[in-house]
Amino acid sequence: MNKKLLIISPYFPPVNAADMQRVRMSLPYFAAYGWDAEVVTIDERYADMAKDELLLQSVPPGIKVHKVKALSKTFTSKVGLGSVAIRSLWYYRKTVNRLLRDNKFDLIYFSTTQFPVCTLGAYWKKRFGISYVIDMQDPWHSDYYINKPKNERPPKYWFAYQLNKYLEPIAIKNAAGLISVSAAYIDELKSRYPVIQSIPAATITFGAFEPDLQIAKDNQKLFTSLLDKNSVNIVYIGRGGKDMHKAISPVFKALQTGLKENGEQYAKIKLYFIGTSYAAAGKGIATILPLAKHLDIEDHVIEITDRISYYQTLLTLQQADALFIPGSDDPKYTASKIFPYLLTRKPILAIFNAASSAIPIMRQYGVKHVYDYDNITSEKLSAFFEQLIKANFNPVEYSADAIKKYSAQEMTLAQCRLFDKITNECC
């Protein structure tokens, strides 16, 4: 008989949020590995995020999804509390209290970057005696921005910094297990809180979910193409920011040199940066185009700050001639977005901090043009551009072992193994 898993995922389809993707891609496989899952999410009416109804096509029809309310942002924003996590806390507490009172669940699983909700785990553990796992997709309390100039910090940084410093230990110290996309996140938490030194933990990346590509293809008529059919289009879709300039600058400089030395051929190249801001549509501030303007190559760089839907993202990646993945200068940063890129089997250029876990993963797949800041050279970049201009890339074939290893199904199995370990130890 399967065990029962209660998943806390504030964002869930049709909301198009990056931090619900692990749950969405795992739901088709949990039952096969001994876990029946139910999801508690915030009703999409209260989510200040883009919606993508196509995401619902990938959710198994038998999954129970419980929706909670949230306080209206119209009122809470007046006192500086716009976070959906904080706005939904009381409703989450009320709904999950009822579920835990009326049903037997073996484990609670928080998979979100809306971290304040995770503090409820400690309360539910004390009241109902149920263990919980936290999925650390990003750092919660972090010093990364503390010495950055004010204009490079996220909005309301100091308030968030102090709040996170207070809330993180409440949730983490009482957790029965940790999952993270980065081993560095787990190491840092275990160092910060010795009380969790011996709890089960696993580094599990997001998986590659092949069914999504077919959903994108089947619905391509719904989307307007963003690319220039007469150009050689190299595409990146994801957040921008100055922390990525170290990865982007050498590419822009190589393009600048190519345009000067071989303008006729390089004139075909266009680099797209799409969905670079989390701001509301039309309000995003470009963070990549200024770098292009500084190098006088802005005619070959298109930055679209507005975010696009998940399936338009997948379709656009498939329509590109090649893909570019720049990493953050933060050594703990791991780009979970690499798997949709790899699924397209397009030529990829990737540049990351040498400590990023994305580099060994991509090399396992067999990606040829993956570099760190120290081994990227203008010669390597020129060779990539010229192969692309001449359409000299052979069809991309990746390692079958890596494709299986990093599939969403295998990543779900890894989660379930951790769940089993926790429940077997505590029962």
Side-chain angles (χ1 to χ4, degrees):
M1 184 175 178
N2 281 0
K3 296 176 184 176
K4 290 190 68 175
L5 180 70
L6 189 64
I7 301 175
I8 309 298
S9 180
Y11 291 135
F12 191 74
V15 176
N16 182 23
D19 67 343
M20 63 82 192
Q21 298 289 13
R22 189 198 295 279
V23 169
R24 182 184 69 87
M25 294 177 186
S26 299
L27 283 173
Y29 309 113
F30 276 132
Y33 297 126
W35 288 87
D36 292 330
E38 297 183 20
V39 179
V40 189
T41 188
I42 297 169
D43 192 303
E44 61 268 23
R45 293 176 296 170
Y46 301 94
D48 193 19
M49 296 282 285
K51 314 296 190 298
D52 186 349
E53 297 293 330
L54 293 179
L55 287 164
L56 293 168
Q57 294 186 17
S58 65
V59 178
I63 298 295
K64 286 186 181 179
V65 179
H66 309 274
K67 296 185 178 183
V68 305
K69 297 179 180 178
L71 295 172
S72 170
K73 194 174 181 179
T74 304
F75 301 109
T76 61
S77 59
K78 292 179 181 178
V79 291
L81 295 175
S83 161
V84 74
I86 294 174
R87 292 190 287 121
S88 65
L89 271 177
W90 187 84
Y91 296 99
Y92 252 117
R93 182 177 181 271
K94 180 182 177 182
T95 299
V96 176
N97 278 358
R98 175 178 54 79
L99 290 172
L100 295 179
R101 186 176 62 245
D102 297 343
N103 304 273
K104 182 187 182 302
F105 287 92
D106 297 278
L107 192 67
I108 297 174
Y109 182 29
F110 293 90
S111 186
T112 180
T113 55
Q114 298 300 313
F115 291 119
V117 172
C118 299
T119 59
L120 289 170
Y123 163 73
W124 290 323
K125 180 181 179 181
K126 183 176 181 180
R127 178 167 178 180
F128 296 98
I130 185 167
S131 298
Y132 64 92
V133 174
I134 297 179
D135 174 15
M136 298 296 297
Q137 298 181 23
D138 282 328
W140 185 347
H141 174 55
S142 170
D143 292 332
Y144 177 75
Y145 289 101
I146 201 163
N147 294 317
K148 300 285 184 184
K150 187 175 180 180
N151 66 317
E152 293 184 24
R153 292 175 180 167
K156 302 177 184 176
Y157 171 72
W158 279 111
F159 173 77
Y161 180 84
Q162 297 301 327
L163 183 66
N164 293 341
K165 185 178 181 180
Y166 171 73
L167 294 181
E168 184 185 80
I170 295 174
I172 299 299
K173 284 183 176 181
N174 292 282
L178 293 174
I179 287 173
S180 179
V181 295
S182 167
Y185 297 168
I186 293 174
D187 292 343
E188 185 173 300
L189 288 171
K190 288 196 170 187
S191 174
R192 189 179 295 165
Y193 307 111
V195 70
I196 65 165
Q197 194 69 42
S198 62
I199 67 171
T203 302
I204 305 173
T205 65
F206 280 30
F209 192 61
E210 195 113 24
D212 279 340
L213 289 189
Q214 192 59 49
I215 294 174
K217 287 178 183 176
D218 290 345
N219 293 278
Q220 58 185 308
K221 291 181 180 179
L222 298 176
F223 307 114
T224 302
S225 178
L226 300 174
L227 310 181
D228 181 353
K229 293 180 181 178
N230 298 315
S231 299
V232 175
N233 299 308
I234 305 172
V235 173
Y236 164 73
I237 304 177
R239 75 162 182 88
K242 289 189 176 179
D243 63 313
M244 292 187 171
H245 281 197
K246 197 167 183 179
I248 295 169
S249 290
V251 176
F252 281 7
K253 288 175 182 175
L255 179 57
Q256 180 191 48
T257 300
L259 288 165
K260 287 178 181 177
E261 297 179 355
N262 195 352
E264 186 176 347
Q265 286 194 330
Y266 275 76
K268 300 176 184 177
I269 291 177
K270 276 192 166 56
L271 276 157
Y272 286 81
F273 296 82
I274 301 170
T276 55
S277 173
Y278 290 116
K283 296 184 178 180
I285 297 172
T287 55
I288 309 301
L289 192 58
L291 184 61
K293 288 180 177 178
H294 178 71
L295 296 171
D296 198 29
I297 59 168
E298 65 268 28
D299 290 344
H300 297 269
V301 175
I302 296 93
E303 180 175 6
I304 301 171
T305 58
D306 290 353
R307 300 183 76 76
I308 61 175
S309 76
Y310 179 69
Y311 289 103
Q312 186 173 19
T313 293
L314 292 181
L315 187 64
T316 304
L317 294 177
Q318 292 177 81
Q319 292 170 339
D321 296 293
L323 308 174
F324 175 41
I325 316 178
S328 169
D329 59 12
D330 182 353
K332 298 172 188 172
Y333 176 82
T334 177
S336 297
K337 69 174 72 71
I338 65 175
F339 294 105
Y341 286 69
L342 290 162
L343 281 173
T344 68
R345 291 173 170 79
K346 294 283 183 176
I348 291 175
L349 170 65
I351 304 174
F352 289 90
N353 187 300
S356 172
S357 61
I359 291 177
I361 291 172
M362 297 185 83
R363 286 181 176 158
Q364 286 177 56
Y365 267 82
V367 177
K368 294 179 180 178
H369 296 275
V370 53
Y371 307 105
D372 61 49
Y373 305 141
D374 296 323
N375 67 16
I376 186 64
T377 65
S378 57
E379 290 78 14
K380 291 173 181 175
L381 291 169
S382 296
F384 179 84
F385 282 136
E386 287 168 18
Q387 275 186 285
L388 198 57
I389 291 166
K390 296 173 182 176
N392 199 24
F393 278 106
N394 294 319
V396 178
E397 293 292 337
Y398 291 126
S399 161
D401 289 341
I403 290 170
K404 181 182 178 183
K405 179 179 178 180
Y406 293 105
S407 68
Q409 186 167 355
E410 287 295 307
M411 297 300 104
T412 306
L413 174 58
Q415 293 169 72
C416 291
R417 283 174 173 160
L418 182 79
F419 301 157
D420 288 337
K421 185 174 183 181
I422 290 167
T423 52
N424 290 341
E425 286 179 358
C426 73
C427 301

